[in-house]
Amino acid sequence: SNGGLMFQMSGGYHSSNYNNRTKIQLNGSDGYINFMTGGDPATERMRILSDGRVAIKATSLPQDFGGERGQLLISSTDHGSNNNYAVLQMQGHSNGNNTALGGIYFYDHSSNNAIIQASRQNNSGSAKLSFYTSESGGSVQERMTIYDSGAVEIDNGSNSSPAKLSLSNTGSTGYTGADVRCFTEHSNRCAGMY
């Protein structure tokens, strides 16, 4: 590649071909490492770019956030007749209710400032999704929870100020209002705000 050094390891078993089933390539001039599996020849499945960013099932990044930013791309096969999509799958093994199944943790340097976390709620078939944030100098606190039934709870964790839900519309033309609407599909039940 561009006249640079390439180091390659390959191997694998097939009744008619012992080569080209798996490969790891270190591309000297471009500075990336690619991992190839399956078929003859093998197909690239993952690439570590020269700046440490990672692409899975892709050879390039659809958007460049800059080489100094950590970036993980999970792509899918671009097939003309299939609607393929990418999946990030996290599997927990909880033994009790209200225990975490998986989470995304946001840090500023060494300070954990926000969390999005899924937790087991009532049994192994139910879960809730919680959002945590932290105020200056404080620890992360649960602020909003979506329960297994779809109910949503917002709690600012403060006795000195009310919890607040703000809706705004900054448009200057057309419909410029903001709505809170309550609906029910049951004739014997009402929808309302309390």
Side-chain angles (χ1 to χ4, degrees), residues 103-117 131-143:
I104 303 174
Y105 290 70
F106 301 88
Y107 278 76
D108 187 354
H109 295 83
S110 60
S111 176
N112 180 204
N113 291 346
I115 303 171
I116 301 174
Q117 179 175 285
F131 297 80
Y132 297 74
T133 62
S134 64
E135 296 183 276
S136 179
S139 59
V140 291
Q141 301 291 328
E142 188 172 2
R143 307 299 190 186

mmCIF file of all heavy atoms in Angstrom, residues 103-117 131-143:
data_model
loop_
_atom_site.group_PDB
_atom_site.id
_atom_site.type_symbol
_atom_site.label_atom_id
_atom_site.label_comp_id
_atom_site.label_asym_id
_atom_site.label_seq_id
_atom_site.Cartn_x
_atom_site.Cartn_y
_atom_site.Cartn_z
ATOM 1 N N GLY A 103 -24.693 -0.510 30.704
ATOM 2 C CA GLY A 103 -24.744 0.937 30.798
ATOM 3 C C GLY A 103 -23.742 1.616 29.888
ATOM 4 O O GLY A 103 -22.783 1.000 29.422
ATOM 5 N N ILE A 104 -24.000 2.884 29.648
ATOM 6 C CA ILE A 104 -23.069 3.748 28.942
ATOM 7 C C ILE A 104 -22.665 4.832 29.930
ATOM 8 O O ILE A 104 -23.510 5.555 30.457
ATOM 9 C CB ILE A 104 -23.710 4.383 27.698
ATOM 10 C CG1 ILE A 104 -24.230 3.296 26.755
ATOM 11 C CG2 ILE A 104 -22.708 5.267 26.961
ATOM 12 C CD1 ILE A 104 -25.004 3.837 25.571
ATOM 13 N N TYR A 105 -21.361 4.935 30.194
ATOM 14 C CA TYR A 105 -20.846 5.846 31.209
ATOM 15 C C TYR A 105 -20.066 6.977 30.535
ATOM 16 O O TYR A 105 -19.207 6.729 29.686
ATOM 17 C CB TYR A 105 -19.943 5.098 32.191
ATOM 18 C CG TYR A 105 -20.699 4.144 33.091
ATOM 19 C CD1 TYR A 105 -21.272 2.984 32.590
ATOM 20 C CD2 TYR A 105 -20.861 4.421 34.446
ATOM 21 C CE1 TYR A 105 -21.981 2.110 33.404
ATOM 22 C CE2 TYR A 105 -21.568 3.551 35.275
ATOM 23 C CZ TYR A 105 -22.131 2.404 34.741
ATOM 24 O OH TYR A 105 -22.833 1.546 35.553
ATOM 25 N N PHE A 106 -20.381 8.203 30.905
ATOM 26 C CA PHE A 106 -19.759 9.378 30.316
ATOM 27 C C PHE A 106 -18.826 10.025 31.338
ATOM 28 O O PHE A 106 -19.255 10.369 32.442
ATOM 29 C CB PHE A 106 -20.830 10.384 29.878
ATOM 30 C CG PHE A 106 -21.802 9.829 28.864
ATOM 31 C CD1 PHE A 106 -22.949 9.158 29.278
ATOM 32 C CD2 PHE A 106 -21.569 9.972 27.506
ATOM 33 C CE1 PHE A 106 -23.852 8.646 28.348
ATOM 34 C CE2 PHE A 106 -22.466 9.468 26.568
ATOM 35 C CZ PHE A 106 -23.593 8.807 26.989
ATOM 36 N N TYR A 107 -17.561 10.194 30.948
ATOM 37 C CA TYR A 107 -16.553 10.763 31.840
ATOM 38 C C TYR A 107 -15.988 12.048 31.259
ATOM 39 O O TYR A 107 -15.820 12.183 30.039
ATOM 40 C CB TYR A 107 -15.399 9.783 32.033
ATOM 41 C CG TYR A 107 -15.661 8.719 33.081
ATOM 42 C CD1 TYR A 107 -16.490 7.642 32.815
ATOM 43 C CD2 TYR A 107 -15.080 8.808 34.342
ATOM 44 C CE1 TYR A 107 -16.733 6.675 33.764
ATOM 45 C CE2 TYR A 107 -15.315 7.839 35.300
ATOM 46 C CZ TYR A 107 -16.145 6.781 35.009
ATOM 47 O OH TYR A 107 -16.383 5.826 35.960
ATOM 48 N N ASP A 108 -15.696 13.008 32.133
ATOM 49 C CA ASP A 108 -14.877 14.161 31.787
ATOM 50 C C ASP A 108 -13.566 13.983 32.539
ATOM 51 O O ASP A 108 -13.517 14.139 33.754
ATOM 52 C CB ASP A 108 -15.582 15.456 32.206
ATOM 53 C CG ASP A 108 -14.846 16.691 31.722
ATOM 54 O OD1 ASP A 108 -13.735 16.543 31.165
ATOM 55 O OD2 ASP A 108 -15.357 17.806 31.902
ATOM 56 N N HIS A 109 -12.511 13.607 31.827
ATOM 57 C CA HIS A 109 -11.261 13.174 32.437
ATOM 58 C C HIS A 109 -11.556 11.982 33.348
ATOM 59 O O HIS A 109 -11.978 10.952 32.881
ATOM 60 C CB HIS A 109 -10.566 14.327 33.162
ATOM 61 C CG HIS A 109 -10.123 15.419 32.227
ATOM 62 N ND1 HIS A 109 -10.972 16.431 31.778
ATOM 63 C CD2 HIS A 109 -8.932 15.652 31.643
ATOM 64 C CE1 HIS A 109 -10.312 17.231 30.964
ATOM 65 N NE2 HIS A 109 -9.063 16.779 30.848
ATOM 66 N N SER A 110 -11.369 12.111 34.658
ATOM 67 C CA SER A 110 -11.621 10.976 35.555
ATOM 68 C C SER A 110 -12.941 11.099 36.298
ATOM 69 O O SER A 110 -13.246 10.303 37.186
ATOM 70 C CB SER A 110 -10.469 10.850 36.572
ATOM 71 O OG SER A 110 -10.356 12.035 37.353
ATOM 72 N N SER A 111 -13.755 12.091 35.946
ATOM 73 C CA SER A 111 -15.027 12.326 36.637
ATOM 74 C C SER A 111 -16.186 11.724 35.863
ATOM 75 O O SER A 111 -16.417 12.079 34.708
ATOM 76 C CB SER A 111 -15.242 13.834 36.815
ATOM 77 O OG SER A 111 -16.497 14.106 37.402
ATOM 78 N N ASN A 112 -16.916 10.816 36.506
ATOM 79 C CA ASN A 112 -18.106 10.215 35.909
ATOM 80 C C ASN A 112 -19.268 11.195 36.057
ATOM 81 O O ASN A 112 -19.761 11.420 37.155
ATOM 82 C CB ASN A 112 -18.403 8.893 36.593
ATOM 83 C CG ASN A 112 -19.624 8.186 36.035
ATOM 84 O OD1 ASN A 112 -20.247 7.386 36.707
ATOM 85 N ND2 ASN A 112 -19.975 8.466 34.788
ATOM 86 N N ASN A 113 -19.731 11.774 34.933
ATOM 87 C CA ASN A 113 -20.719 12.849 34.989
ATOM 88 C C ASN A 113 -22.114 12.450 34.540
ATOM 89 O O ASN A 113 -23.072 13.168 34.822
ATOM 90 C CB ASN A 113 -20.244 14.026 34.140
ATOM 91 C CG ASN A 113 -19.030 14.712 34.742
ATOM 92 O OD1 ASN A 113 -18.696 14.493 35.903
ATOM 93 N ND2 ASN A 113 -18.366 15.534 33.956
ATOM 94 N N ALA A 114 -22.252 11.347 33.806
ATOM 95 C CA ALA A 114 -23.576 10.947 33.334
ATOM 96 C C ALA A 114 -23.566 9.458 33.002
ATOM 97 O O ALA A 114 -22.523 8.883 32.668
ATOM 98 C CB ALA A 114 -23.980 11.752 32.100
ATOM 99 N N ILE A 115 -24.745 8.838 33.127
ATOM 100 C CA ILE A 115 -24.897 7.404 32.854
ATOM 101 C C ILE A 115 -26.253 7.171 32.198
ATOM 102 O O ILE A 115 -27.251 7.801 32.577
ATOM 103 C CB ILE A 115 -24.832 6.562 34.148
ATOM 104 C CG1 ILE A 115 -23.522 6.795 34.904
ATOM 105 C CG2 ILE A 115 -24.998 5.066 33.841
ATOM 106 C CD1 ILE A 115 -23.513 6.150 36.287
ATOM 107 N N ILE A 116 -26.292 6.298 31.232
ATOM 108 C CA ILE A 116 -27.546 5.716 30.747
ATOM 109 C C ILE A 116 -27.462 4.231 31.069
ATOM 110 O O ILE A 116 -26.555 3.543 30.598
ATOM 111 C CB ILE A 116 -27.734 5.931 29.237
ATOM 112 C CG1 ILE A 116 -27.728 7.420 28.894
ATOM 113 C CG2 ILE A 116 -29.041 5.286 28.763
ATOM 114 C CD1 ILE A 116 -27.769 7.703 27.403
ATOM 115 N N GLN A 117 -28.379 3.733 31.873
ATOM 116 C CA GLN A 117 -28.252 2.369 32.388
ATOM 117 C C GLN A 117 -29.564 1.598 32.296
ATOM 118 O O GLN A 117 -30.627 2.116 32.637
ATOM 119 C CB GLN A 117 -27.786 2.409 33.845
ATOM 120 C CG GLN A 117 -27.634 1.044 34.491
ATOM 121 C CD GLN A 117 -27.056 1.158 35.884
ATOM 122 O OE1 GLN A 117 -25.881 1.404 36.069
ATOM 123 N NE2 GLN A 117 -27.909 0.991 36.889
ATOM 124 N N PHE A 131 -31.621 7.349 33.530
ATOM 125 C CA PHE A 131 -30.702 8.385 33.083
ATOM 126 C C PHE A 131 -30.167 9.115 34.316
ATOM 127 O O PHE A 131 -30.942 9.588 35.152
ATOM 128 C CB PHE A 131 -31.417 9.366 32.150
ATOM 129 C CG PHE A 131 -31.920 8.731 30.878
ATOM 130 C CD1 PHE A 131 -33.113 8.005 30.873
ATOM 131 C CD2 PHE A 131 -31.210 8.829 29.696
ATOM 132 C CE1 PHE A 131 -33.588 7.411 29.712
ATOM 133 C CE2 PHE A 131 -31.674 8.232 28.528
ATOM 134 C CZ PHE A 131 -32.854 7.516 28.542
ATOM 135 N N TYR A 132 -28.853 9.198 34.411
ATOM 136 C CA TYR A 132 -28.197 9.821 35.556
ATOM 137 C C TYR A 132 -27.390 11.022 35.082
ATOM 138 O O TYR A 132 -26.761 10.990 34.015
ATOM 139 C CB TYR A 132 -27.229 8.851 36.231
ATOM 140 C CG TYR A 132 -27.838 7.611 36.827
ATOM 141 C CD1 TYR A 132 -28.290 6.566 36.019
ATOM 142 C CD2 TYR A 132 -27.927 7.450 38.210
ATOM 143 C CE1 TYR A 132 -28.832 5.413 36.577
ATOM 144 C CE2 TYR A 132 -28.456 6.296 38.777
ATOM 145 C CZ TYR A 132 -28.918 5.284 37.946
ATOM 146 O OH TYR A 132 -29.443 4.133 38.500
ATOM 147 N N THR A 133 -27.386 12.084 35.893
ATOM 148 C CA THR A 133 -26.513 13.232 35.646
ATOM 149 C C THR A 133 -25.926 13.679 36.974
ATOM 150 O O THR A 133 -26.363 13.244 38.049
ATOM 151 C CB THR A 133 -27.260 14.411 34.996
ATOM 152 O OG1 THR A 133 -28.295 14.870 35.883
ATOM 153 C CG2 THR A 133 -27.870 14.013 33.665
ATOM 154 N N SER A 134 -24.921 14.553 36.911
ATOM 155 C CA SER A 134 -24.315 15.072 38.137
ATOM 156 C C SER A 134 -24.208 16.581 38.051
ATOM 157 O O SER A 134 -23.965 17.150 36.982
ATOM 158 C CB SER A 134 -22.928 14.467 38.353
ATOM 159 O OG SER A 134 -22.035 14.850 37.323
ATOM 160 N N GLU A 135 -24.404 17.245 39.195
ATOM 161 C CA GLU A 135 -24.170 18.668 39.279
ATOM 162 C C GLU A 135 -22.709 18.908 39.637
ATOM 163 O O GLU A 135 -21.980 17.986 39.978
ATOM 164 C CB GLU A 135 -25.093 19.297 40.320
ATOM 165 C CG GLU A 135 -26.564 19.192 39.955
ATOM 166 C CD GLU A 135 -27.460 19.883 40.959
ATOM 167 O OE1 GLU A 135 -27.790 19.256 41.970
ATOM 168 O OE2 GLU A 135 -27.822 21.044 40.713
ATOM 169 N N SER A 136 -22.278 20.150 39.557
ATOM 170 C CA SER A 136 -20.878 20.473 39.795
ATOM 171 C C SER A 136 -20.414 19.979 41.160
ATOM 172 O O SER A 136 -20.999 20.316 42.192
ATOM 173 C CB SER A 136 -20.676 21.994 39.708
ATOM 174 O OG SER A 136 -19.336 22.336 39.960
ATOM 175 N N GLY A 137 -19.382 19.159 41.147
ATOM 176 C CA GLY A 137 -18.816 18.666 42.394
ATOM 177 C C GLY A 137 -19.576 17.525 43.031
ATOM 178 O O GLY A 137 -19.150 17.014 44.071
ATOM 179 N N GLY A 138 -20.691 17.121 42.448
ATOM 180 C CA GLY A 138 -21.495 16.065 43.042
ATOM 181 C C GLY A 138 -21.323 14.732 42.341
ATOM 182 O O GLY A 138 -20.616 14.619 41.334
ATOM 183 N N SER A 139 -21.956 13.712 42.879
ATOM 184 C CA SER A 139 -21.930 12.390 42.262
ATOM 185 C C SER A 139 -23.148 12.229 41.365
ATOM 186 O O SER A 139 -24.111 12.998 41.445
ATOM 187 C CB SER A 139 -21.927 11.302 43.331
ATOM 188 O OG SER A 139 -23.069 11.406 44.165
ATOM 189 N N VAL A 140 -23.118 11.233 40.485
ATOM 190 C CA VAL A 140 -24.237 11.033 39.576
ATOM 191 C C VAL A 140 -25.475 10.608 40.356
ATOM 192 O O VAL A 140 -25.405 9.825 41.294
ATOM 193 C CB VAL A 140 -23.905 9.984 38.494
ATOM 194 C CG1 VAL A 140 -22.872 10.504 37.527
ATOM 195 C CG2 VAL A 140 -23.440 8.675 39.115
ATOM 196 N N GLN A 141 -26.622 11.168 39.954
ATOM 197 C CA GLN A 141 -27.898 10.865 40.581
ATOM 198 C C GLN A 141 -28.896 10.472 39.508
ATOM 199 O O GLN A 141 -28.890 11.016 38.399
ATOM 200 C CB GLN A 141 -28.426 12.083 41.346
ATOM 201 C CG GLN A 141 -27.506 12.597 42.439
ATOM 202 C CD GLN A 141 -27.400 11.648 43.612
ATOM 203 O OE1 GLN A 141 -28.369 10.939 43.925
ATOM 204 N NE2 GLN A 141 -26.250 11.613 44.267
ATOM 205 N N GLU A 142 -29.783 9.549 39.840
ATOM 206 C CA GLU A 142 -30.821 9.132 38.899
ATOM 207 C C GLU A 142 -31.826 10.252 38.735
ATOM 208 O O GLU A 142 -32.425 10.716 39.712
ATOM 209 C CB GLU A 142 -31.505 7.864 39.406
ATOM 210 C CG GLU A 142 -32.455 7.240 38.412
ATOM 211 C CD GLU A 142 -32.969 5.884 38.868
ATOM 212 O OE1 GLU A 142 -32.604 5.462 39.995
ATOM 213 O OE2 GLU A 142 -33.722 5.254 38.118
ATOM 214 N N ARG A 143 -32.023 10.727 37.485
ATOM 215 C CA ARG A 143 -32.889 11.868 37.236
ATOM 216 C C ARG A 143 -34.177 11.486 36.519
ATOM 217 O O ARG A 143 -35.221 12.072 36.756
ATOM 218 C CB ARG A 143 -32.155 12.903 36.385
ATOM 219 C CG ARG A 143 -30.811 13.325 36.920
ATOM 220 C CD ARG A 143 -30.896 13.969 38.287
ATOM 221 N NE ARG A 143 -29.621 14.566 38.660
ATOM 222 C CZ ARG A 143 -29.348 15.111 39.833
ATOM 223 N NH1 ARG A 143 -30.273 15.127 40.773
ATOM 224 N NH2 ARG A 143 -28.155 15.619 40.081
#
